[in-house]
Amino acid sequence: MPSCFPRGFRHAGLSLLILVTGSIGAGAQPASPAPVAPDSRLIEETVERAKDLPNLRSLIVTHNGTVLTEQALGGTRLDRPTNIKSASKTIMSALVGIAIERGVLQGVDQPVASILDQSIPSDADPRVRQITVGHLLSMQAGLERTSGRNYGAWISSGNWVRDALSRPFVDEPGGRMLYSTGSTHLLSATLTRASKRSTLELARDWLGEPLDITVAPWTRDPQGIYLGGNEMALSPRALHRFGEMYRQGGTIDGKRVVSENWIRESWTPRTSSPFTGDRYGYGWFMRDMGGHTAHYAWGFGGQMLYVIPTLGLTVTMTSDPTEPSREDNYIGQLHALVADGIVPALLPKQEDTTGSIGSGAQPSSGAPL
């Protein structure tokens, strides 16, 4: 992969205020505010705060395609693949959307049993046949989770697809959010069987080629199906380019990659996380930051991608993938870098027209967890 951003990016020094000509919204978002010059002082202060986080390995911030900062920390290279952990679930969501657009899948209401029938045990709960593609995308399958304390036993099984489908129901299909890598792995199996191509092939063809990024092979299950929702390796720049494509409504360099309607559907809240309270759509979390909706991907350890189209903002962070991001509120510190540092740097400054002293920075409505 090239050591610089692919075409379509412009680089800017932090010491300069960059005049922006406007942001390209994602269609699912209201129109962007009037162009503002990013506050370079706030960006620089945020970068210094980021450097104090020992687990952080990279930070990339772009505003309407202009690079505000690129930081490679702890010996990381921005063009070298890294394990993005559960941020892979967001990539899987994109592949499902493309598959629907191309007719490989019928739509989000398609029961996965129509494709995975041979993997369903004969004595399975009948409700397994009610689970749809959409239920898997929004983590509302109703099946017992395979993540958390159940993850080890699940990947130790001889058939990950059959094991996930054999789990007992702890809620109805379409019920509460049950975050489970098994659900996204069922999506990978569905894509593989419906297309008769591996998930790696699809990712390289449907995302790697148009985005001009490298998609390296990753973990496969005992049947050879690429793990859906974990262990995918992308470089920080590749992950960022994926986010930029979403910010621009599904296009990159004038090429359509994901439909605008799929982005709208993916960013429609369908449930909420029992751990954070943040809203969840199809593979994307959502929270408010400074009065704007931040759509974000989250992987174990702090592999983060934030897209805020109304500000023209995309932020990528990768971290040590072996350390839990919820320990010592590390995930809260990552959220704060965006909500309290980067977002205020892009908000219009309050004019002192009443004689009062304004701070210039807008408060964040999305307090870190």
Side-chain angles (χ1 to χ4, degrees), residues 8 24-26 241 243-253 256 260 263 307:
I24 304 173
R241 186 139 166 97
E244 273 289 279
M245 180 266 291
Y246 263 72
R247 180 188 69 81
Q248 296 179 103
T251 64
I252 200 83
D253 299 331
R256 170 65 57 187
E260 193 169 25
I263 296 178
V307 181

Side-chain angles (χ1 to χ4, degrees), residues 1-2 6-7 207-214 238 241 252-253 255:
M1 186 177 299
R7 57 192 179 279
L207 294 175
E209 191 280 327
L211 291 173
D212 192 22
I213 63 175
T214 297
R241 186 139 166 97
I252 200 83
D253 299 331
K255 297 176 289 188

Side-chain angles (χ1 to χ4, degrees), residues 86-87 149 230 238 323:
S86 283
R149 66 177 182 271
N230 200 6
E323 296 291 333

Side-chain angles (χ1 to χ4, degrees), residues 72-318:
L73 308 170
T76 296
R77 283 180 47 179
L78 298 179
D79 58 353
R80 178 176 295 165
T82 186
N83 190 340
I84 64 171
K85 294 293 187 176
S86 283
S88 308
K89 293 175 172 66
T90 309
I91 308 297
M92 283 299 305
S93 173
L95 293 176
V96 170
I98 297 170
I100 292 172
E101 186 73 15
R102 295 183 178 219
V104 174
L105 298 178
Q106 296 170 14
V108 293
D109 295 327
Q110 181 178 4
V112 293
S114 64
I115 297 173
L116 301 180
D117 183 70
Q118 66 187 50
S119 296
I120 299 175
S122 58
D123 59 349
D125 189 308
R127 288 175 291 182
V128 77
R129 299 186 179 277
Q130 300 173 20
I131 299 172
T132 66
V133 169
H135 291 151
L136 297 176
L137 285 165
S138 60
M139 300 293 176
Q140 294 175 288
L143 294 167
E144 179 185 68
R145 300 170 63 231
T146 61
S147 292
R149 66 177 182 271
N150 297 330
Y151 186 79
W154 175 58
I155 62 173
S156 296
S157 70
N159 189 317
W160 299 358
V161 173
R162 187 180 180 89
D163 184 275
L165 291 168
S166 301
R167 296 270 160 170
F169 278 83
V170 295
D171 201 350
E172 297 297 316
R176 72 183 187 276
M177 182 181 185
L178 294 161
Y179 187 88
S180 178
T181 298
S183 287
T184 35
H185 188 60
L186 291 177
L187 290 172
S188 182
T190 298
L191 285 172
T192 299
R193 293 185 186 171
S195 68
K196 296 180 173 55
R197 300 173 68 192
S198 73
T199 307
L200 173 62
E201 288 181 87
L202 298 179
R204 285 175 166 174
D205 185 13
W206 293 353
L207 294 175
E209 191 280 327
L211 291 173
D212 192 22
I213 63 175
T214 297
V215 181
W218 69 99
T219 304
R220 291 188 286 175
D221 72 8
Q223 285 66 48
I225 297 170
Y226 282 89
L227 175 54
N230 200 6
E231 305 295 329
M232 185 179 285
L234 293 176
S235 73
R237 283 188 174 134
L239 182 60
H240 195 88
R241 186 139 166 97
F242 174 83
E244 273 289 279
M245 180 266 291
Y246 263 72
R247 180 188 69 81
Q248 296 179 103
T251 64
I252 200 83
D253 299 331
K255 297 176 289 188
R256 170 65 57 187
V257 182
V258 177
S259 76
E260 193 169 25
N261 181 66
W262 183 251
I263 296 178
R264 187 180 297 109
E265 290 294 311
S266 300
W267 287 352
T268 298
R270 300 173 191 282
T271 184
S272 60
S273 168
F275 305 110
T276 67
D278 285 354
R279 306 178 297 280
Y280 194 74
Y282 287 159
W284 290 86
F285 291 95
M286 285 154 275
R287 64 164 41 208
D288 294 331
M289 291 184 172
H292 295 259
T293 300
H295 312 272
Y296 71 94
W298 177 10
F300 182 91
Q303 323 312 320
M304 312 298 296
L305 172 64
Y306 299 86
V307 181
I308 309 180
T310 51
L311 292 176
L313 178 65
T314 304
V315 179
T316 299
M317 302 179 197
T318 61

